[in-house]
Amino acid sequence: MSISRRAVLAATAGATATAAAPAHSAEAARGGEPASAVRVLRAAADYAVQKLRAVAPGVSAFPVGTKFEKWVLSQNGDWVGGFWPGTLWMAYLHSADETFRTLALDSARKLAPRRHDTTTHDLGFLFYPSWVTAWRLTGDDSWRTGAVEAAGSLVRRYNPRGRFIRAWGALDDPANAGRVIMDTMMNLDLLAFASRQTGDGTYLDVAVEHARTAQRFFPRPDGSTPHVYDFDPVSGAPVGPGTVQGYSPTSCWSRGQAWGIYGFTTIYRRSGERQFLATARKLADFAVEALGADHVPVWDYRAPQQPHDIKDASAGAIMACGLLDLSAATGRREYREVAVRILTALSETCLTRKSARAEAVVARCTRNRPAEDGIEISLPYADYYLLEGILRVLRPRDVDRAIDLSTL
């Protein structure tokens, strides 16, 4: 593998991590959004901070979803553990309340044992919004070191014959050994981070090779994607598409499509390879066209009951962040306009404002419709990405300090 890439040479400066305290939201008026949309988004962020102030001090582990509007907790974080400290970091950026900073750090520390977990591809979800952000906002090198260790665990899941990162299962478990899922695109940024921090291009090379494989096999001619693509783990030969959380191998699970939009845009920003940007646009154009008039995605764009099927607000929040990223990378304002409409719709129709007992911020999320698991509940990544998306509009410089929005 090549040791040098432009992204490795463009190392993140330590000064980024020790930047000044969060600025006030004067940036909001500079993005060109209608004043009415800015008011709605600021009110939603304020509501999230208010909710988190009330709920977060009593959360002792990692929320994975709600049952009867209360968080169900995981002690090790499952695959979503990074989103809780990430949400607390977003609340800190919006409010400048040091309580959120303290809670975010306390929560992130509990993920320490997962640095060496080689049984999952979700180490980017676990460590980027928690440990990478902690390093960028505090300058404490222990967070950077731990995130690089996690990237080392993720690299071990790379199959060089098929040029993909295996999604599920222990390394010595033959079940699912050739299974690749769209979600992995969002875990690649941890590898890009490790290359920038260590100067070792191997991490980024793995990320780029995986993205090339996903680019070859996932997008259909119309820009839709399956959730899963299987390969022979021994030869690396393609087997065919499949699904777990989508309606069928030929359908288009909306959250997977959102992971693809955001993930391909991010790997373009880290690698400079323009074919990834073209793929992100192809996926985005399909998803934008598939959105209904209410701008809240159905759980699968090709499920038989769409566009009147159940919703997944988490897919909308992720998609909005990806579209904002894509707009910045392409200079095409129409992606930003759709993103703001999605964020506004979520803020107006999908928050938990009418429930005094609700512990989450965002409602109307769907975790796994085929398994009848988590139908229109709250999910931690919906809260995280809604706040990230809103702050990308209101306070982009603060979000950049937290997660690095730079492009080569």
Side-chain angles (χ1 to χ4, degrees):
M1 291 183 179
S2 170
I3 298 300
S4 62
R5 285 184 181 273
R6 285 184 293 161
V8 179
L9 297 176
T12 303
T16 302
T18 56
H24 295 293
S25 56
E27 295 174 89
R30 301 175 192 166
E33 279 68 47
S36 58
V38 171
R39 285 194 297 270
V40 168
L41 298 185
R42 186 175 291 119
D46 290 345
Y47 172 73
V49 166
Q50 176 188 12
K51 177 67 70 175
L52 287 161
R53 279 202 181 105
V55 172
V59 174
S60 59
F62 299 99
V64 297
T66 53
K67 185 174 183 179
F68 303 119
E69 299 184 283
K70 300 296 184 183
W71 284 125
V72 176
L73 303 179
S74 165
Q75 292 301 313
N76 77 349
D78 198 79
W79 72 271
V80 299
F83 295 118
W84 180 247
T87 300
L88 296 170
W89 281 124
M90 293 297 118
Y92 167 66
L93 292 178
H94 184 62
S95 67
D97 185 340
E98 290 289 326
T99 301
F100 290 125
R101 182 183 188 277
T102 299
L103 290 171
L105 293 170
D106 289 346
S107 178
R109 288 187 188 99
K110 297 175 184 177
L111 290 172
R114 302 295 300 277
R115 291 172 294 168
H116 310 296
D117 185 351
T118 61
T119 69
T120 178
H121 71 130
D122 286 316
L123 291 162
F125 285 135
L126 289 168
F127 284 92
Y128 203 102
S130 57
W131 285 49
V132 172
T133 296
W135 171 68
R136 290 182 62 82
L137 295 180
T138 70
D140 182 341
D141 274 346
S142 64
W143 299 110
R144 174 172 57 179
T145 299
V148 170
E149 289 176 326
S153 298
L154 179 56
V155 162
R156 293 185 60 190
R157 299 185 65 78
Y158 180 67
N159 182 319
R161 294 173 297 280
R163 298 185 178 183
F164 61 80
I165 294 171
R166 172 183 178 171
W168 296 321
L171 296 178
D172 59 356
D173 184 353
N176 294 314
R179 178 143 284 194
V180 177
I181 66 175
M182 182 59 81
D183 316 39
T184 306
M185 289 301 304
M186 287 294 293
N187 288 290
L188 302 182
D189 204 18
L190 181 67
L191 300 180
F193 172 81
S195 277
R196 291 196 305 277
Q197 297 307 314
T198 65
D200 182 353
T202 302
Y203 301 99
L204 182 59
D205 285 341
V206 166
V208 167
E209 289 299 330
H210 176 92
R212 287 173 177 163
T213 298
Q215 180 179 247
R216 282 196 297 272
F217 293 102
F218 275 83
R220 304 183 184 109
D222 66 355
S224 65
T225 60
H227 177 205
V228 169
Y229 207 97
D230 288 309
F231 297 83
D232 183 307
V234 177
S235 69
V239 174
T243 197
V244 173
Q245 288 168 266
Y247 178 77
S248 76
T250 60
S251 71
C252 185
W253 178 49
S254 61
R255 191 159 74 244
Q257 191 80 3
W259 293 137
I261 295 165
Y262 198 166
F264 275 109
T265 305
T266 301
I267 196 62
Y268 158 71
R269 290 198 289 110
R270 304 311 187 204
S271 70
E273 298 199 9
R274 294 197 65 82
Q275 72 268 26
F276 296 142
L277 190 63
T279 299
R281 288 193 59 189
K282 186 174 184 178
L283 270 56
D285 291 346
F286 174 87
V288 169
E289 181 68 23
L291 273 179
D294 65 355
H295 283 84
V296 181
V298 295
W299 73 279
D300 190 301
Y301 293 125
R302 286 185 171 152
Q305 301 303 316
Q306 68 82 30
H308 307 295
D309 211 330
I310 60 173
K311 299 293 188 174
D312 183 7
S314 74
I318 297 158
M319 179 179 170
C321 290
L323 289 175
L324 289 169
D325 217 18
L326 188 57
S327 177
T330 62
R332 298 182 70 91
R333 183 162 182 85
E334 56 265 36
Y335 291 129
R336 182 180 181 93
E337 291 170 350
V338 175
V340 171
R341 286 200 292 271
I342 293 171
L343 293 171
T344 302
L346 297 178
S347 298
E348 290 180 329
T349 68
C350 296
L351 300 191
T352 58
R353 284 192 177 105
K354 294 183 179 180
S355 174
R357 62 175 280 118
E359 292 185 339
V361 176
V362 182
R364 304 181 72 194
C365 303
T366 299
R367 183 162 48 204
N368 188 335
R369 178 70 175 86
E372 295 294 329
D373 172 28
I375 309 302
E376 296 224 11
I377 61 170
S378 294
L379 293 167
Y381 36 93
D383 286 11
Y384 172 78
Y385 287 110
L386 178 71
L387 269 177
E388 181 193 306
I390 289 173
L391 297 189
R392 277 174 173 267
V393 175
L394 300 183
R395 322 171 68 96
R397 288 181 295 181
D398 285 336
V399 177
D400 179 45
R401 290 197 301 118
I403 64 174
D404 184 8
L405 303 180
S406 63
T407 301
L408 286 178

